[in-house]
C-alpha cells in the first residue's frame, strides 16, 4: 500500500507512464530470452525506453519544483509543509525514472552476456 501512495505522491501524470515503461521493458526482456542471437532490436528498444524513463522522471522533477515555487509565490511566505509536497514530487519522478533505467540496463547486460556466451559456444563447435 505504501508503494501505491508513493506513486500518488509523484503524480499520476509522471508515475504511471514510468510504470508502464517498466512493464514494457520486462515484457520485451522476457520475450527476447528464447530468441537466441536476435537481441539487437530488443536491446535498442530497451536503451530507448530506459532513457525515456529518465527524461520523463526529470520532467516530473521540473513540474514538481514549479508547483512548489508557485505555492510559495501564491502564499507570499515559505513554510516547510508548503514546499514539501512539491519537493517530494520533484524527487520521486527522477527516482522512478532512474530505477526503470537501471532495470533496463540490467536486462541489456543479461542479453549481451547470453549473446556472447552463445557466440562462444558456436565458435567452439
Amino acid at each position: 500500500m505504501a508503494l501505491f501512495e508513493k506513486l500518488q505522491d509523484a503524480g499520476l501524470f509522471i508515475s504511471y507512464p514510468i510504470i508502464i515503461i517498466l512493464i514494457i521493458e520486462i515484457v520485451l526482456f522476457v520475450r527476447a530470452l528464447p530468441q537466441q542471437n536476435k537481441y539487437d532490436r530488443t536491446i535498442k528498444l530497451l536503451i530507448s525506453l530506459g532513457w525515456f524513463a529518465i527524461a520523463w522522471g526529470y520532467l516530473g522533477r521540473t513540474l514538481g519544483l514549479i508547483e512548489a515555487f508557485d505555492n510559495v509565490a501564491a502564499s507570499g511566505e515559505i513554510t516547510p509543509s508548503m514546499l514539501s509536497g512539491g519537493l517530494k514530487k520533484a524527487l520521486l519522478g527522477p527516482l522512478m525514472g532512474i530505477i526503470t533505467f537501471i532495470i533496463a540496463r540490467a536486462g541489456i547486460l543479461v542479453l549481451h552476456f547470453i549473446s556472447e556466451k552463445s557466440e562462444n559456444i558456436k565458435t567452439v563447435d
Side-chain angles (χ1 to χ4, degrees), residues 30-42:
V30 170
R31 289 184 70 196
L33 284 175
Q35 300 172 359
Q36 297 291 327
N37 296 326
K38 296 182 181 179
Y39 298 138
D40 292 337
R41 181 172 176 232
T42 302

Side-chain angles (χ1 to χ4, degrees), residues 17-27 53 99-101 103-104:
I18 293 175
I19 294 299
I20 291 169
I21 291 169
L22 177 63
I23 292 168
I24 291 170
E25 288 175 354
I26 292 169
V27 168
I99 290 171
T100 303
F101 176 79
I103 291 171

Side-chain angles (χ1 to χ4, degrees), residues 13-15 17-18 21 51-61 93-94:
F13 180 70
I14 299 301
S15 61
I18 293 175
I21 291 169
W51 282 114
F52 183 80
I54 286 181
W56 196 258
Y58 277 96
L59 173 67
R61 180 197 68 177

Side-chain angles (χ1 to χ4, degrees), residues 18 21-22 25-26 29 46-55 58 93-111:
I18 293 175
I21 291 169
L22 177 63
E25 288 175 354
I26 292 169
F29 175 75
L46 288 174
I47 289 169
S48 296
L49 287 170
W51 282 114
F52 183 80
I54 286 181
Y58 277 96
L95 176 65
M96 292 173 58
I98 290 169
I99 290 171
T100 303
F101 176 79
I102 290 171
I103 291 171
R105 285 293 169 178
I108 291 166
L109 288 173
V110 169
L111 292 177

